[in-house]
Short mmCIF file of all heavy atoms in Angstrom, two decimals:
data_model
loop_
_atom_site.label_atom_id
_atom_site.label_comp_id
_atom_site.label_asym_id
_atom_site.label_seq_id
_atom_site.Cartn_x
_atom_site.Cartn_y
_atom_site.Cartn_z
N MET A 1 -8.14 49.49 -46.40
CA MET A 1 -6.70 49.24 -46.39
C MET A 1 -6.08 49.72 -47.70
O MET A 1 -6.70 49.62 -48.76
CB MET A 1 -6.44 47.73 -46.23
CG MET A 1 -4.98 47.41 -46.10
SD MET A 1 -4.61 45.64 -45.84
CE MET A 1 -5.82 44.83 -46.86
N GLU A 2 -4.90 50.23 -47.60
CA GLU A 2 -4.18 50.71 -48.78
C GLU A 2 -2.83 50.01 -48.89
O GLU A 2 -2.19 49.72 -47.89
CB GLU A 2 -3.92 52.21 -48.65
CG GLU A 2 -4.89 53.06 -49.44
CD GLU A 2 -4.50 54.54 -49.42
OE1 GLU A 2 -3.32 54.85 -49.12
OE2 GLU A 2 -5.36 55.35 -49.71
N LYS A 3 -2.41 49.77 -50.12
CA LYS A 3 -1.07 49.24 -50.37
C LYS A 3 -0.43 50.09 -51.44
O LYS A 3 -1.10 50.56 -52.36
CB LYS A 3 -1.13 47.79 -50.86
CG LYS A 3 -1.30 46.76 -49.77
CD LYS A 3 -1.18 45.35 -50.33
CE LYS A 3 -1.31 44.32 -49.21
NZ LYS A 3 -1.10 42.96 -49.71
N THR A 4 0.87 50.30 -51.32
CA THR A 4 1.61 51.02 -52.36
C THR A 4 2.51 50.04 -53.08
O THR A 4 3.32 49.36 -52.45
CB THR A 4 2.44 52.16 -51.75
OG1 THR A 4 1.55 53.07 -51.09
CG2 THR A 4 3.20 52.92 -52.83
N LEU A 5 2.33 49.96 -54.38
CA LEU A 5 3.13 49.05 -55.19
C LEU A 5 4.21 49.84 -55.92
O LEU A 5 3.93 50.91 -56.45
CB LEU A 5 2.25 48.34 -56.24
CG LEU A 5 0.91 47.80 -55.80
CD1 LEU A 5 0.21 47.14 -56.98
CD2 LEU A 5 1.06 46.83 -54.65
N ILE A 6 5.40 49.30 -55.91
CA ILE A 6 6.47 49.89 -56.71
C ILE A 6 6.46 49.16 -58.06
O ILE A 6 6.55 47.94 -58.11
CB ILE A 6 7.85 49.69 -56.02
CG1 ILE A 6 7.83 50.23 -54.59
CG2 ILE A 6 8.95 50.37 -56.84
CD1 ILE A 6 7.50 51.69 -54.45
N VAL A 7 6.33 49.97 -59.11
CA VAL A 7 6.18 49.41 -60.46
C VAL A 7 7.13 50.11 -61.41
O VAL A 7 7.19 51.34 -61.45
CB VAL A 7 4.72 49.59 -60.95
CG1 VAL A 7 4.57 49.16 -62.40
CG2 VAL A 7 3.75 48.81 -60.07
N GLU A 8 7.84 49.32 -62.19
CA GLU A 8 8.75 49.90 -63.17
C GLU A 8 8.17 49.80 -64.58
O GLU A 8 7.44 48.86 -64.88
CB GLU A 8 10.10 49.15 -63.14
CG GLU A 8 11.04 49.72 -62.10
CD GLU A 8 12.42 49.09 -62.14
OE1 GLU A 8 12.68 48.24 -63.01
OE2 GLU A 8 13.23 49.45 -61.28
N GLY A 9 8.49 50.78 -65.40
CA GLY A 9 8.13 50.71 -66.81
C GLY A 9 7.04 51.67 -67.25
O GLY A 9 6.86 51.87 -68.45
N MET A 10 6.32 52.26 -66.30
CA MET A 10 5.27 53.22 -66.69
C MET A 10 5.94 54.55 -67.03
O MET A 10 6.79 55.03 -66.29
CB MET A 10 4.27 53.44 -65.55
CG MET A 10 3.49 52.22 -65.13
SD MET A 10 2.22 52.61 -63.90
CE MET A 10 3.20 53.17 -62.52
N SER A 11 5.53 55.14 -68.18
CA SER A 11 6.19 56.38 -68.57
C SER A 11 5.24 57.54 -68.84
O SER A 11 5.67 58.67 -69.02
CB SER A 11 7.06 56.13 -69.80
OG SER A 11 6.27 55.58 -70.82
N CYS A 12 3.95 57.28 -68.89
CA CYS A 12 3.02 58.36 -69.18
C CYS A 12 1.64 58.06 -68.62
O CYS A 12 1.42 57.02 -68.00
CB CYS A 12 2.93 58.61 -70.69
SG CYS A 12 2.11 57.27 -71.57
N GLU A 13 0.72 58.95 -68.89
CA GLU A 13 -0.64 58.82 -68.38
C GLU A 13 -1.32 57.57 -68.92
O GLU A 13 -2.12 56.93 -68.23
CB GLU A 13 -1.42 60.07 -68.80
CG GLU A 13 -2.66 60.34 -67.97
CD GLU A 13 -3.34 61.62 -68.40
OE1 GLU A 13 -2.63 62.62 -68.63
OE2 GLU A 13 -4.57 61.61 -68.51
N HIS A 14 -0.99 57.23 -70.14
CA HIS A 14 -1.55 56.04 -70.77
C HIS A 14 -1.16 54.78 -69.97
O HIS A 14 -1.97 53.90 -69.72
CB HIS A 14 -1.06 55.94 -72.21
CG HIS A 14 -1.55 54.74 -72.94
ND1 HIS A 14 -2.83 54.64 -73.42
CD2 HIS A 14 -0.93 53.58 -73.25
CE1 HIS A 14 -2.97 53.45 -74.01
NE2 HIS A 14 -1.84 52.80 -73.92
N CYS A 15 0.10 54.72 -69.60
CA CYS A 15 0.60 53.59 -68.80
C CYS A 15 -0.13 53.54 -67.46
O CYS A 15 -0.49 52.46 -66.98
CB CYS A 15 2.09 53.74 -68.53
SG CYS A 15 3.13 53.86 -69.99
N GLU A 16 -0.30 54.69 -66.86
CA GLU A 16 -1.00 54.76 -65.56
C GLU A 16 -2.39 54.16 -65.69
O GLU A 16 -2.80 53.34 -64.89
CB GLU A 16 -1.10 56.22 -65.09
CG GLU A 16 0.24 56.85 -64.72
CD GLU A 16 0.14 58.34 -64.46
OE1 GLU A 16 -0.92 58.94 -64.74
OE2 GLU A 16 1.14 58.92 -63.98
N LYS A 17 -3.10 54.57 -66.73
CA LYS A 17 -4.47 54.09 -66.94
C LYS A 17 -4.53 52.59 -67.18
O LYS A 17 -5.41 51.90 -66.69
CB LYS A 17 -5.11 54.83 -68.14
CG LYS A 17 -5.42 56.29 -67.85
CD LYS A 17 -6.64 56.45 -66.93
CE LYS A 17 -6.80 57.86 -66.41
NZ LYS A 17 -6.11 58.10 -65.13
N ARG A 18 -3.58 52.09 -67.97
CA ARG A 18 -3.51 50.64 -68.24
C ARG A 18 -3.36 49.86 -66.94
O ARG A 18 -4.03 48.85 -66.72
CB ARG A 18 -2.28 50.33 -69.11
CG ARG A 18 -2.52 50.36 -70.57
CD ARG A 18 -1.23 49.98 -71.28
NE ARG A 18 -0.97 48.54 -71.21
CZ ARG A 18 -1.39 47.67 -72.13
NH1 ARG A 18 -2.07 48.10 -73.15
NH2 ARG A 18 -1.14 46.39 -72.02
N THR A 19 -2.43 50.32 -66.11
CA THR A 19 -2.16 49.63 -64.85
C THR A 19 -3.36 49.71 -63.92
O THR A 19 -3.76 48.70 -63.32
CB THR A 19 -0.92 50.27 -64.17
OG1 THR A 19 0.14 50.29 -65.11
CG2 THR A 19 -0.50 49.48 -62.95
N GLU A 20 -3.94 50.89 -63.82
CA GLU A 20 -5.12 51.06 -62.96
C GLU A 20 -6.25 50.15 -63.42
O GLU A 20 -6.90 49.50 -62.60
CB GLU A 20 -5.58 52.53 -62.99
CG GLU A 20 -4.64 53.46 -62.25
CD GLU A 20 -4.94 54.94 -62.49
OE1 GLU A 20 -5.87 55.25 -63.28
OE2 GLU A 20 -4.23 55.78 -61.91
N LYS A 21 -6.48 50.07 -64.73
CA LYS A 21 -7.56 49.28 -65.27
C LYS A 21 -7.39 47.79 -64.93
O LYS A 21 -8.35 47.12 -64.54
CB LYS A 21 -7.59 49.47 -66.80
CG LYS A 21 -8.88 49.03 -67.45
CD LYS A 21 -8.86 49.38 -68.95
CE LYS A 21 -9.74 48.40 -69.71
NZ LYS A 21 -9.32 48.26 -71.11
N GLU A 22 -6.18 47.29 -65.07
CA GLU A 22 -5.93 45.87 -64.76
C GLU A 22 -6.14 45.60 -63.27
O GLU A 22 -6.71 44.59 -62.89
CB GLU A 22 -4.51 45.46 -65.17
CG GLU A 22 -4.35 45.20 -66.65
CD GLU A 22 -5.28 44.12 -67.22
OE1 GLU A 22 -5.58 43.14 -66.50
OE2 GLU A 22 -5.72 44.28 -68.36
N LEU A 23 -5.63 46.50 -62.44
CA LEU A 23 -5.77 46.30 -60.99
C LEU A 23 -7.23 46.35 -60.57
O LEU A 23 -7.66 45.61 -59.69
CB LEU A 23 -4.93 47.35 -60.24
CG LEU A 23 -3.43 47.07 -60.24
CD1 LEU A 23 -2.65 48.32 -59.85
CD2 LEU A 23 -3.07 45.92 -59.31
N LEU A 24 -8.00 47.23 -61.21
CA LEU A 24 -9.41 47.37 -60.85
C LEU A 24 -10.25 46.15 -61.23
O LEU A 24 -11.38 45.99 -60.76
CB LEU A 24 -9.99 48.65 -61.48
CG LEU A 24 -9.56 49.94 -60.77
CD1 LEU A 24 -9.90 51.15 -61.62
CD2 LEU A 24 -10.22 50.06 -59.40
N LYS A 25 -9.69 45.28 -62.07
CA LYS A 25 -10.39 44.04 -62.43
C LYS A 25 -10.42 43.08 -61.24
O LYS A 25 -11.22 42.15 -61.20
CB LYS A 25 -9.70 43.35 -63.61
CG LYS A 25 -9.96 44.03 -64.95
CD LYS A 25 -9.28 43.24 -66.06
CE LYS A 25 -9.38 43.96 -67.39
NZ LYS A 25 -8.55 43.30 -68.42
N ILE A 26 -9.50 43.28 -60.30
CA ILE A 26 -9.47 42.43 -59.11
C ILE A 26 -10.59 42.87 -58.17
O ILE A 26 -10.73 44.06 -57.87
CB ILE A 26 -8.10 42.55 -58.39
CG1 ILE A 26 -6.97 42.12 -59.32
CG2 ILE A 26 -8.10 41.72 -57.10
CD1 ILE A 26 -5.58 42.42 -58.78
N ASP A 27 -11.37 41.88 -57.74
CA ASP A 27 -12.51 42.12 -56.87
C ASP A 27 -12.19 42.99 -55.65
O ASP A 27 -12.94 43.92 -55.32
CB ASP A 27 -13.02 40.76 -56.38
CG ASP A 27 -14.54 40.71 -56.42
OD1 ASP A 27 -15.12 41.50 -57.19
OD2 ASP A 27 -15.11 39.90 -55.68
N ALA A 28 -11.10 42.68 -55.02
CA ALA A 28 -10.74 43.33 -53.76
C ALA A 28 -10.26 44.78 -53.94
O ALA A 28 -10.21 45.54 -52.98
CB ALA A 28 -9.65 42.52 -53.05
N VAL A 29 -9.92 45.14 -55.16
CA VAL A 29 -9.39 46.48 -55.41
C VAL A 29 -10.53 47.46 -55.68
O VAL A 29 -11.23 47.35 -56.69
CB VAL A 29 -8.39 46.48 -56.60
CG1 VAL A 29 -7.92 47.89 -56.91
CG2 VAL A 29 -7.21 45.57 -56.29
N SER A 30 -10.72 48.40 -54.77
CA SER A 30 -11.81 49.36 -54.93
C SER A 30 -11.34 50.64 -55.62
O SER A 30 -12.13 51.37 -56.20
CB SER A 30 -12.44 49.69 -53.58
OG SER A 30 -11.46 50.12 -52.67
N ASP A 31 -10.03 50.90 -55.54
CA ASP A 31 -9.50 52.08 -56.22
C ASP A 31 -8.02 51.86 -56.53
O ASP A 31 -7.33 51.13 -55.80
CB ASP A 31 -9.68 53.33 -55.36
CG ASP A 31 -9.52 54.62 -56.17
OD1 ASP A 31 -9.66 54.57 -57.42
OD2 ASP A 31 -9.25 55.67 -55.56
N ALA A 32 -7.54 52.47 -57.61
CA ALA A 32 -6.13 52.36 -57.96
C ALA A 32 -5.69 53.69 -58.55
O ALA A 32 -6.34 54.22 -59.44
CB ALA A 32 -5.92 51.24 -58.96
N LYS A 33 -4.60 54.22 -58.03
CA LYS A 33 -4.05 55.48 -58.53
C LYS A 33 -2.57 55.27 -58.85
O LYS A 33 -1.76 55.06 -57.95
CB LYS A 33 -4.18 56.58 -57.46
CG LYS A 33 -5.61 57.12 -57.32
CD LYS A 33 -5.92 58.18 -58.38
CE LYS A 33 -7.41 58.51 -58.47
NZ LYS A 33 -8.19 57.49 -59.24
N ALA A 34 -2.28 55.32 -60.13
CA ALA A 34 -0.90 55.11 -60.57
C ALA A 34 -0.19 56.43 -60.80
O ALA A 34 -0.81 57.41 -61.22
CB ALA A 34 -0.88 54.28 -61.85
N ASN A 35 1.11 56.45 -60.50
CA ASN A 35 1.92 57.63 -60.75
C ASN A 35 3.19 57.20 -61.49
O ASN A 35 4.08 56.57 -60.89
CB ASN A 35 2.26 58.32 -59.42
CG ASN A 35 3.00 59.63 -59.62
OD1 ASN A 35 3.97 59.70 -60.37
ND2 ASN A 35 2.53 60.68 -58.97
N ALA A 36 3.24 57.49 -62.77
CA ALA A 36 4.36 57.05 -63.60
C ALA A 36 5.67 57.70 -63.18
O ALA A 36 6.71 57.05 -63.17
CB ALA A 36 4.07 57.34 -65.07
N ASP A 37 5.63 58.97 -62.82
CA ASP A 37 6.85 59.69 -62.42
C ASP A 37 7.49 59.05 -61.20
O ASP A 37 8.71 58.91 -61.12
CB ASP A 37 6.53 61.15 -62.09
CG ASP A 37 6.18 61.94 -63.35
OD1 ASP A 37 6.57 61.49 -64.45
OD2 ASP A 37 5.51 62.98 -63.22
N GLN A 38 6.64 58.68 -60.25
CA GLN A 38 7.16 58.08 -59.01
C GLN A 38 7.32 56.57 -59.13
O GLN A 38 7.92 55.95 -58.25
CB GLN A 38 6.21 58.40 -57.85
CG GLN A 38 6.16 59.89 -57.52
CD GLN A 38 5.16 60.22 -56.42
OE1 GLN A 38 4.32 59.39 -56.07
NE2 GLN A 38 5.26 61.41 -55.88
N GLY A 39 6.76 55.97 -60.17
CA GLY A 39 6.82 54.52 -60.31
C GLY A 39 6.07 53.81 -59.21
O GLY A 39 6.51 52.79 -58.69
N GLN A 40 4.93 54.37 -58.86
CA GLN A 40 4.13 53.80 -57.77
C GLN A 40 2.66 53.70 -58.15
O GLN A 40 2.16 54.47 -58.96
CB GLN A 40 4.20 54.71 -56.54
CG GLN A 40 5.55 54.75 -55.86
CD GLN A 40 5.50 55.53 -54.56
OE1 GLN A 40 4.51 56.18 -54.25
NE2 GLN A 40 6.57 55.45 -53.79
N VAL A 41 2.01 52.72 -57.54
CA VAL A 41 0.56 52.62 -57.66
C VAL A 41 0.00 52.43 -56.26
O VAL A 41 0.42 51.52 -55.54
CB VAL A 41 0.11 51.42 -58.53
CG1 VAL A 41 -1.40 51.46 -58.75
CG2 VAL A 41 0.84 51.40 -59.87
N VAL A 42 -0.92 53.28 -55.88
CA VAL A 42 -1.58 53.13 -54.58
C VAL A 42 -2.92 52.46 -54.83
O VAL A 42 -3.74 52.94 -55.61
CB VAL A 42 -1.79 54.50 -53.89
CG1 VAL A 42 -2.54 54.31 -52.57
CG2 VAL A 42 -0.45 55.18 -53.65
N VAL A 43 -3.12 51.28 -54.20
CA VAL A 43 -4.38 50.57 -54.36
C VAL A 43 -5.16 50.59 -53.05
O VAL A 43 -4.59 50.43 -51.97
CB VAL A 43 -4.18 49.10 -54.82
CG1 VAL A 43 -3.72 49.05 -56.26
CG2 VAL A 43 -3.21 48.36 -53.93
N SER A 44 -6.45 50.83 -53.16
CA SER A 44 -7.35 50.73 -52.01
C SER A 44 -8.02 49.38 -52.07
O SER A 44 -8.53 48.98 -53.12
CB SER A 44 -8.40 51.84 -52.06
OG SER A 44 -7.77 53.09 -52.07
N LEU A 45 -8.02 48.68 -50.94
CA LEU A 45 -8.55 47.32 -50.91
C LEU A 45 -9.76 47.21 -50.00
O LEU A 45 -9.76 47.73 -48.89
CB LEU A 45 -7.45 46.37 -50.43
CG LEU A 45 -6.15 46.40 -51.24
CD1 LEU A 45 -5.06 45.63 -50.52
CD2 LEU A 45 -6.37 45.86 -52.63
N SER A 46 -10.79 46.52 -50.49
CA SER A 46 -11.98 46.30 -49.68
C SER A 46 -11.85 45.01 -48.88
O SER A 46 -12.60 44.76 -47.95
CB SER A 46 -13.21 46.25 -50.57
OG SER A 46 -13.05 45.25 -51.55
N LYS A 47 -10.92 44.15 -49.28
CA LYS A 47 -10.63 42.93 -48.53
C LYS A 47 -9.20 42.50 -48.83
O LYS A 47 -8.54 43.09 -49.69
CB LYS A 47 -11.62 41.82 -48.87
CG LYS A 47 -11.70 41.49 -50.35
CD LYS A 47 -12.83 40.50 -50.62
CE LYS A 47 -12.99 40.26 -52.12
NZ LYS A 47 -14.17 39.47 -52.46
N GLU A 48 -8.75 41.44 -48.15
CA GLU A 48 -7.38 40.96 -48.34
C GLU A 48 -7.13 40.49 -49.77
O GLU A 48 -8.01 39.87 -50.39
CB GLU A 48 -7.10 39.79 -47.38
CG GLU A 48 -6.77 40.22 -45.97
CD GLU A 48 -5.44 40.94 -45.88
OE1 GLU A 48 -4.58 40.74 -46.75
OE2 GLU A 48 -5.27 41.71 -44.91
N VAL A 49 -5.96 40.79 -50.27
CA VAL A 49 -5.56 40.25 -51.57
C VAL A 49 -4.05 40.02 -51.50
O VAL A 49 -3.32 40.76 -50.85
CB VAL A 49 -5.96 41.20 -52.73
CG1 VAL A 49 -5.21 42.52 -52.64
CG2 VAL A 49 -5.73 40.56 -54.08
N THR A 50 -3.59 38.95 -52.13
CA THR A 50 -2.16 38.64 -52.07
C THR A 50 -1.37 39.58 -52.98
O THR A 50 -1.89 40.07 -53.98
CB THR A 50 -1.88 37.19 -52.52
OG1 THR A 50 -2.28 37.05 -53.87
CG2 THR A 50 -2.63 36.19 -51.65
N ASP A 51 -0.11 39.78 -52.62
CA ASP A 51 0.77 40.59 -53.46
C ASP A 51 0.94 39.92 -54.83
O ASP A 51 1.10 40.60 -55.84
CB ASP A 51 2.13 40.77 -52.78
CG ASP A 51 2.04 41.75 -51.61
OD1 ASP A 51 1.04 42.48 -51.51
OD2 ASP A 51 2.99 41.78 -50.81
N ASP A 52 0.91 38.59 -54.83
CA ASP A 52 1.04 37.84 -56.09
C ASP A 52 -0.06 38.23 -57.07
O ASP A 52 0.19 38.40 -58.27
CB ASP A 52 0.95 36.34 -55.82
CG ASP A 52 2.28 35.75 -55.38
OD1 ASP A 52 3.26 36.51 -55.30
OD2 ASP A 52 2.31 34.54 -55.11
N LYS A 53 -1.25 38.35 -56.53
CA LYS A 53 -2.41 38.69 -57.37
C LYS A 53 -2.24 40.11 -57.95
O LYS A 53 -2.53 40.35 -59.12
CB LYS A 53 -3.67 38.61 -56.50
CG LYS A 53 -4.95 38.80 -57.23
CD LYS A 53 -5.58 37.48 -57.63
CE LYS A 53 -6.89 37.71 -58.38
NZ LYS A 53 -7.17 36.61 -59.29
N LEU A 54 -1.77 41.03 -57.13
CA LEU A 54 -1.54 42.40 -57.58
C LEU A 54 -0.42 42.44 -58.62
O LEU A 54 -0.52 43.13 -59.63
CB LEU A 54 -1.19 43.29 -56.37
CG LEU A 54 -2.28 43.42 -55.30
CD1 LEU A 54 -1.73 44.13 -54.08
CD2 LEU A 54 -3.50 44.17 -55.83
N ALA A 55 0.62 41.66 -58.35
CA ALA A 55 1.77 41.60 -59.26
C ALA A 55 1.34 41.07 -60.63
O ALA A 55 1.80 41.55 -61.67
CB ALA A 55 2.86 40.71 -58.67
N GLU A 56 0.45 40.08 -60.60
CA GLU A 56 -0.06 39.48 -61.82
C GLU A 56 -0.77 40.53 -62.69
O GLU A 56 -0.60 40.57 -63.90
CB GLU A 56 -1.05 38.39 -61.41
CG GLU A 56 -1.25 37.26 -62.38
CD GLU A 56 -2.18 36.21 -61.79
OE1 GLU A 56 -1.76 35.47 -60.88
OE2 GLU A 56 -3.35 36.18 -62.21
N ALA A 57 -1.58 41.36 -62.04
CA ALA A 57 -2.31 42.40 -62.76
C ALA A 57 -1.36 43.43 -63.37
O ALA A 57 -1.55 43.87 -64.50
CB ALA A 57 -3.31 43.08 -61.82
N VAL A 58 -0.34 43.79 -62.61
CA VAL A 58 0.64 44.75 -63.11
C VAL A 58 1.35 44.18 -64.33
O VAL A 58 1.52 44.85 -65.36
CB VAL A 58 1.68 45.09 -62.01
CG1 VAL A 58 2.86 45.88 -62.59
CG2 VAL A 58 1.02 45.89 -60.89
N SER A 59 1.70 42.91 -64.25
CA SER A 59 2.37 42.24 -65.35
C SER A 59 1.45 42.12 -66.56
O SER A 59 1.88 42.27 -67.71
CB SER A 59 2.87 40.88 -64.84
OG SER A 59 2.90 39.95 -65.86
N GLU A 60 0.18 41.86 -66.29
CA GLU A 60 -0.83 41.77 -67.35
C GLU A 60 -0.92 43.11 -68.11
O GLU A 60 -1.13 43.14 -69.32
CB GLU A 60 -2.18 41.41 -66.72
CG GLU A 60 -3.25 41.00 -67.69
CD GLU A 60 -2.92 39.72 -68.45
OE1 GLU A 60 -2.32 38.80 -67.87
OE2 GLU A 60 -3.22 39.67 -69.64
N ALA A 61 -0.76 44.19 -67.38
CA ALA A 61 -0.80 45.52 -67.99
C ALA A 61 0.45 45.80 -68.81
O ALA A 61 0.48 46.70 -69.64
CB ALA A 61 -0.98 46.58 -66.91
N GLY A 62 1.50 45.03 -68.54
CA GLY A 62 2.73 45.17 -69.31
C GLY A 62 3.88 45.83 -68.57
O GLY A 62 4.88 46.22 -69.18
N TYR A 63 3.75 45.94 -67.25
CA TYR A 63 4.79 46.61 -66.48
C TYR A 63 5.36 45.67 -65.41
O TYR A 63 4.84 44.57 -65.18
CB TYR A 63 4.23 47.90 -65.87
CG TYR A 63 3.61 48.74 -66.95
CD1 TYR A 63 2.23 48.83 -67.06
CD2 TYR A 63 4.40 49.34 -67.91
CE1 TYR A 63 1.65 49.53 -68.11
CE2 TYR A 63 3.83 50.03 -68.96
CZ TYR A 63 2.45 50.13 -69.06
OH TYR A 63 1.89 50.79 -70.11
N GLU A 64 6.43 46.11 -64.78
CA GLU A 64 7.13 45.22 -63.86
C GLU A 64 6.87 45.57 -62.40
O GLU A 64 7.25 46.64 -61.92
CB GLU A 64 8.64 45.25 -64.14
CG GLU A 64 9.38 44.13 -63.45
CD GLU A 64 10.89 44.21 -63.63
OE1 GLU A 64 11.37 45.07 -64.40
OE2 GLU A 64 11.60 43.42 -62.97
N TYR A 65 6.24 44.62 -61.72
CA TYR A 65 6.00 44.77 -60.28
C TYR A 65 7.32 44.53 -59.56
O TYR A 65 7.99 43.52 -59.79
CB TYR A 65 4.96 43.75 -59.82
CG TYR A 65 4.85 43.57 -58.33
CD1 TYR A 65 4.01 44.38 -57.58
CD2 TYR A 65 5.60 42.59 -57.69
CE1 TYR A 65 3.92 44.22 -56.21
CE2 TYR A 65 5.51 42.42 -56.32
CZ TYR A 65 4.67 43.24 -55.58
OH TYR A 65 4.59 43.07 -54.24
N ILE A 66 7.70 45.46 -58.69
CA ILE A 66 8.94 45.29 -57.94
C ILE A 66 8.66 44.80 -56.52
O ILE A 66 9.18 43.78 -56.10
CB ILE A 66 9.75 46.62 -57.88
CG1 ILE A 66 10.00 47.17 -59.30
CG2 ILE A 66 11.06 46.42 -57.13
CD1 ILE A 66 10.84 46.28 -60.19
N LYS A 67 7.85 45.55 -55.80
CA LYS A 67 7.52 45.15 -54.44
C LYS A 67 6.36 45.97 -53.91
O LYS A 67 5.94 46.95 -54.52
CB LYS A 67 8.73 45.32 -53.51
CG LYS A 67 9.19 46.77 -53.42
CD LYS A 67 10.37 46.92 -52.47
CE LYS A 67 10.85 48.37 -52.46
NZ LYS A 67 12.00 48.57 -51.58
N THR A 68 5.85 45.53 -52.78
CA THR A 68 4.81 46.27 -52.09
C THR A 68 5.44 46.93 -50.86
O THR A 68 6.20 46.28 -50.15
CB THR A 68 3.68 45.33 -51.64
OG1 THR A 68 3.13 44.70 -52.80
CG2 THR A 68 2.57 46.09 -50.91
N VAL A 69 5.15 48.20 -50.65
CA VAL A 69 5.72 48.88 -49.48
C VAL A 69 4.61 49.32 -48.54
O VAL A 69 3.45 49.37 -48.91
CB VAL A 69 6.59 50.09 -49.86
CG1 VAL A 69 7.81 49.62 -50.61
CG2 VAL A 69 5.83 51.10 -50.69
CU1 LIG B 101 2.76 55.35 -71.32
#
């Protein structure tokens, strides 16, 4: 399963890596690909995870989770 997160505040490759790293700490997240230009992160999930949990990781990285599409 894949989810696309809308995230504000990422501006470069460094930001992308920070966000991906935090998301990958979540057990259910098997892959994370952030795109600062588009303000999106695509996460691959091996099992169910709440949007709250994903939002928490984004916030931990220092960026603003807007919504999941
Ligand atoms: Cu950056």
Side-chain angles (χ1 to χ4, degrees):
M1 184 178 37
E2 260 187 18
K3 279 187 178 184
T4 300
L5 316 180
I6 306 300
V7 174
E8 274 185 2
M10 297 186 296
S11 55
C12 70
E13 201 177 317
H14 178 76
C15 302
E16 292 172 350
K17 289 286 169 270
R18 269 182 76 91
T19 307
E20 288 169 358
K21 196 175 152 206
E22 282 302 326
L23 284 163
L24 284 167
K25 285 182 186 171
I26 300 171
D27 223 23
V29 176
S30 55
D31 196 21
K33 284 278 167 281
N35 185 311
D37 290 338
Q38 295 177 346
Q40 291 187 350
V41 186
V42 178
V43 289
S44 302
L45 304 169
S46 56
K47 55 187 175 188
E48 280 293 336
V49 65
T50 63
D51 286 345
D52 277 359
K53 186 95 181 153
L54 298 171
E56 206 176 287
V58 169
S59 150
E60 192 63 37
Y63 307 105
E64 193 184 353
Y65 166 88
I66 305 298
K67 62 179 177 181
T68 300
V69 294

